[in-house]
Amino acid sequence: MDSSRQAEAVVSPRASFLSGLRTGSGLAAASFLLAVSFGAISTSHGWGHLAPVICSMAVFSGSAQFALLAALGSGGGPAGAVLSAALINSRFIPMGIAVAGDLRGGRFRRALEGQAVVDGSWAAAHLGGGRFDRYLLFGATAIQWPAWVAGTALGVVVSPDPDLLHRLGLDVLTPALFLALLFDEVRRERINRLPALLGAVIAAGLIVFLPAGPALVGAALAALVALFRTPARHRQADETDETTAADTTEAAEPADMPERALRSARSDEEVMP
């Protein structure tokens, strides 16, 4: 049986959720600081006090929200700003497809559970082999969302210098955490090494000509390599699991025969007068 399935069977939902809270706490701390910067910058751009908080509550995506700020700050219209944010958030389409098999319930419930799919939680919840721990996903997101909203509200109210985090070097916390998650994912499964390497090369090449957002979207194309290589691997794993299950059943049957015969003999004795 696959090790990811064994882990899924052993760990209880409550334990997985608490593990998600612990995993997401570091991401939440980094998100909080980044959100303070977003609140401060959006206020300096004339967003007012309420719009940035509502944006963080509804969008909950740092890259998309900063893309909105950049597009509007450079004189672009609302349509162009929304389009740029939508392009960056298009990464959630393949991420949602990947995790869809581990969500539960009808369409509405699955759509609601899918709201927990954010970058750090999605990476932390991956068990390997295309399987995800949904409760760990929920826990990791449950602590990040309020931290993101609270950080935005603090940035709006306090309005610190938008460049403060950069001067203190705190803006590297989020990339560092994502890099740690990437190293862990690559270490667990060799199939992820080639997409990770291609993604880094593509991003490094595109960043010379494009802003960071479109460069990252282009780098996500490297994930298609794993997408095309995974099905054959899954078929082999499934065939191995089926063979193992069949062998276990066949091996168990001879051992059960004496016990069945004994039960049959006792039943015959009880029937006899």
Side-chain angles (χ1 to χ4, degrees):
M1 182 179 291
D2 188 77
S3 59
S4 64
R5 296 179 183 176
Q6 290 179 340
E8 185 180 14
V10 171
V11 180
S12 67
R14 182 176 181 273
S16 292
F17 186 83
L18 293 177
S19 177
L21 290 177
R22 291 191 296 269
T23 302
S25 60
L27 296 169
S31 298
F32 179 83
L33 294 174
L34 190 62
V36 171
S37 178
F38 171 76
I41 296 175
S42 59
T43 302
S44 66
H45 280 61
W47 281 36
H49 291 78
L50 189 58
V53 178
I54 294 177
C55 183
S56 287
M57 293 176 65
V59 180
F60 186 32
S61 173
S63 55
Q65 291 176 227
F66 279 104
L68 282 172
L69 281 175
L72 294 174
S74 61
V82 171
L83 179 61
S84 63
L87 286 175
I88 292 178
N89 272 0
S90 63
R91 69 189 186 279
F92 290 118
I93 296 176
M95 291 168 63
I97 294 174
V99 77
D102 292 290
L103 302 181
R104 298 292 182 268
R107 292 183 179 180
F108 178 78
R109 179 180 172 182
R110 292 165 66 86
L112 186 62
E113 291 187 356
Q115 301 307 306
V117 177
V118 294
D119 297 309
S121 303
W122 183 85
H126 188 213
L127 296 171
R131 301 297 305 277
F132 291 84
D133 186 334
R134 58 195 290 265
Y135 291 102
L136 193 150
L137 177 74
F138 299 156
T141 301
I143 194 172
Q144 289 183 74
W145 184 81
W148 179 256
V149 176
T152 302
L154 181 63
V156 168
V157 174
V158 178
S159 296
D161 184 351
D163 295 329
L164 179 62
L165 293 179
H166 178 69
R167 290 201 301 269
L168 295 177
L170 298 177
D171 54 340
V172 303
L173 288 178
T174 301
L177 287 171
F178 280 117
L179 190 61
L181 290 173
L182 176 63
F183 281 150
D184 182 64
E185 186 71 18
V186 170
R187 179 183 58 82
R188 285 189 299 174
E189 288 198 283
R190 295 180 59 185
I191 193 174
N192 295 323
R193 296 177 184 177
L194 180 58
L197 178 61
L198 288 177
V201 172
I202 294 173
L206 292 179
I207 200 68
V208 179
F209 309 101
L210 299 173
L216 291 177
V217 173
L221 295 175
L224 295 175
V225 175
L227 180 65
F228 288 121
R229 292 179 61 187
T230 299
R233 183 169 172 266
H234 281 177
R235 285 195 297 269
Q236 293 176 358
D238 292 339
E239 291 174 358
T240 302
D241 291 343
E242 292 176 358
T243 303
T244 303
D247 293 342
T248 303
T249 303
E250 292 176 358
E253 286 180 352
D256 292 341
M257 289 178 62
E259 184 178 353
R260 293 176 183 173
L262 181 59
R263 287 199 301 266
S264 178
R266 289 177 178 174
S267 299
D268 293 341
E269 291 176 359
E270 292 175 357
V271 173
M272 293 177 62

